[in-house]
């Protein structure tokens, strides 16, 4: 059997970025054949990635990339916030943002297939999964290409915003991006709020109005007419639309102005924006450790 030296382990680690012990085991199994050891590691790391793929990734980071009039916003998820702070994980996320901006992939599958330094992006992701032992997934991305300007804001690594705007003052775009991160509008203007969200709010307003009407009757008061109730409901919906549409919101840096008024005063306009919040909408698994221990103890008694 060939002697496995530290130099050989170091060389294989440099090629594969796999843990030292995994490299040594692969070289031993391959009897010192470097090429075969690489194949063994590829299979082992791929196996780890496959096992990890079933696990929920609700943590992670949002990253941005801007170069001239092209930019990208991406969300990449991990299983734990500990991995979300890992330098290699962050480097992979930043690479994803750059590749989205530069290569314009149609979807996550297309991004995964993009070549980078002799590997696909998915090879980079899979190798890192094998090295760290945690699942990692590219959840979503948005690419921007504009004749205007782009601005971004990251609140830590969990909230990211990119804004497409026009105007002479670059600070305006940055201020709007920061405002969006703070106030979380769902659309640019009131007429762009999704219909399902409006209907949900209308349903809530109807229930509230009916509860108030029933309470008034129970207290012996004169019930409101259907017309007045309808106006109350419509008023609640209109108030909601102003609260969730960017242009109608009160500007966070000046509560005497709406965002629309601030933009007009600055001679600027916002064309579009995207905001990502890490894990938004993903159902996280909640472990009940006490129940787990109790179940194990019960099983052991059988």
């Amino acid at each position: 059997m060939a002697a496995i030296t530290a130099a050989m382990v170091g060389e294989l680690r440099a090629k594969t970025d796999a843990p030292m012990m995994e490299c040594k085991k692969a070289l031993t199994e391959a009897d010192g054949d470097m090429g075969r050891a690489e194949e063994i590691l590829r299979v082992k790391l791929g196996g780890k990635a496959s096992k990890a793929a079933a696990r929920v990734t609700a943590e992670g980071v949002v990253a941005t990339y801007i170069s001239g009039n092209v930019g990208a916003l991406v969300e990449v998820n991990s299983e734990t916030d500990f991995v979300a702070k890992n330098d290699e994980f962050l480097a992979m996320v930043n690479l994803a943002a750059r590749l989205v901006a530069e290569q314009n992939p149609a979807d996550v599958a297309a991004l995964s297939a993009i070549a980078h330094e002799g590997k696909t992006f998915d090879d980079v992701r899979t190798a890192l999964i094998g090295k760290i032992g945690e699942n990692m997934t590219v959840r979503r991305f948005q690419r921007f290409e504009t004749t205007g300007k782009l601005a971004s804001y990251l609140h830590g690594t969990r909230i990211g915003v990119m804004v497409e705007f026009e105007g002479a003052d670059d600070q305006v775009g940055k201020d709007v991006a920061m405002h969006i991160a703070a106030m979380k509008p769902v659309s640019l203007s009131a007429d762009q709020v999704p219909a399902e969200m409006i209907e949900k709010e209308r349903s809530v307003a109807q229930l509230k109005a009916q509860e108030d009407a029933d309470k008034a009757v129970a207290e012996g008061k004169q019930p409101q007419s259907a017309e007045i109730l309808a106006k109350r409901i419509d008023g609640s919906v209109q108030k909601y639309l102003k609260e969730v549409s960017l242009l109608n919101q009160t500007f966070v840096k000046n509560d005497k102005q709406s965002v629309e008024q601030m933009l007009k005063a600055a001679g600027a306009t916002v064309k579009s924006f995207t905001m990502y919040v890490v894990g938004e909408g993903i159902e996280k698994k909640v472990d009940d450790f006490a129940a787990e221990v109790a179940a194990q103890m019960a099983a052991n008694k059988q």
Side-chain angles (χ1 to χ4, degrees):
M1 181 175 286
I4 307 302
T5 65
M8 293 168 66
V9 174
E11 182 184 349
L12 183 58
R13 175 170 167 73
K15 286 183 176 181
T16 63
D17 205 26
M20 283 287 192
M21 288 307 296
E22 293 288 345
C23 291
K24 186 176 180 180
K25 289 177 184 176
L27 282 164
T28 301
E29 187 177 337
D31 198 20
D33 185 319
M34 189 66 66
R36 187 165 162 239
E38 283 188 58
E39 290 299 319
I40 290 169
L41 276 178
R42 191 170 294 118
V43 170
K44 285 187 176 180
L45 295 180
K48 285 185 179 180
S50 297
K51 290 175 185 176
R55 299 198 291 265
V56 174
T57 53
E59 301 297 335
V61 301
V62 176
T64 63
Y65 177 87
I66 296 176
S67 179
N69 67 337
V70 175
L73 181 72
V74 302
E75 178 186 350
V76 182
N77 298 134
S78 60
E79 293 179 52
T80 65
D81 59 357
F82 178 78
V83 168
K85 298 171 185 174
N86 178 281
D87 288 340
E88 290 178 278
F89 177 76
L90 294 173
M92 181 189 72
V93 177
N94 288 325
L95 172 62
R98 180 164 66 83
L99 291 177
V100 167
E102 293 177 350
Q103 302 295 326
N104 192 20
D107 50 28
V108 172
L111 168 62
S112 298
I114 293 175
H116 174 71
E117 296 182 354
K119 302 177 181 178
T120 66
F121 177 76
D122 199 54
D123 288 337
V124 175
R125 182 188 69 88
T126 302
L128 192 56
I129 291 173
K131 181 178 181 181
I132 294 178
E134 238 188 63
N135 194 17
M136 305 165 193
T137 57
V138 179
R139 183 186 184 195
R140 52 185 173 173
F141 62 77
Q142 180 67 49
R143 183 179 184 271
F144 290 77
E145 186 166 356
T146 180
T147 55
K149 297 179 179 181
L150 295 173
S152 66
Y153 173 74
L154 289 172
H155 187 71
T157 57
R158 296 189 63 84
I159 301 175
V161 178
M162 189 161 290
V163 177
E164 180 186 8
F165 72 104
E166 293 181 344
D169 189 354
D170 291 347
Q171 187 61 44
V172 171
K174 294 176 182 177
D175 286 346
V176 171
M178 187 180 296
H179 170 98
I180 292 167
M183 302 306 293
K184 298 178 176 57
V186 301
S187 68
L188 181 61
S189 59
D191 60 0
Q192 293 177 356
V193 176
E196 61 270 19
M197 295 184 73
I198 297 174
E199 285 308 306
K200 183 177 179 181
E201 187 62 27
R202 184 175 296 279
S203 177
V204 170
Q206 286 173 336
L207 289 171
K208 181 67 169 61
Q210 190 59 56
E211 284 178 4
D212 290 346
D214 292 344
K215 183 179 178 182
V217 171
E219 293 174 352
K221 298 177 182 177
Q222 184 70 26
Q224 293 180 331
S225 67
E227 185 179 353
I228 292 175
L229 286 175
K231 285 182 179 180
R232 280 187 58 192
I233 293 166
D234 190 57
S236 294
V237 172
Q238 293 305 315
K239 181 174 180 289
Y240 166 77
L241 291 174
K242 288 183 178 181
E243 290 173 348
V244 299
S245 55
L246 174 63
L247 297 179
N248 288 305
Q249 289 181 331
T250 301
F251 184 41
V252 291
K253 293 181 72 173
N254 182 353
D255 61 9
K256 301 295 190 293
Q257 285 182 314
S258 67
V259 172
E260 187 172 31
Q261 289 168 335
M262 180 277 291
L263 290 169
K264 186 175 181 180
T269 56
V270 173
K271 300 173 72 176
S272 67
F273 73 88
T274 297
M275 178 183 70
Y276 287 161
V277 178
V278 168
E280 186 177 39
I282 298 176
E283 185 176 347
K284 298 184 182 182
K285 180 183 177 183
V286 179
D287 293 316
D288 187 340
F289 293 107
E292 243 181 74
V293 171
Q296 288 178 3
M297 289 177 67
N300 291 335
K301 288 179 180 179
Q302 292 178 357

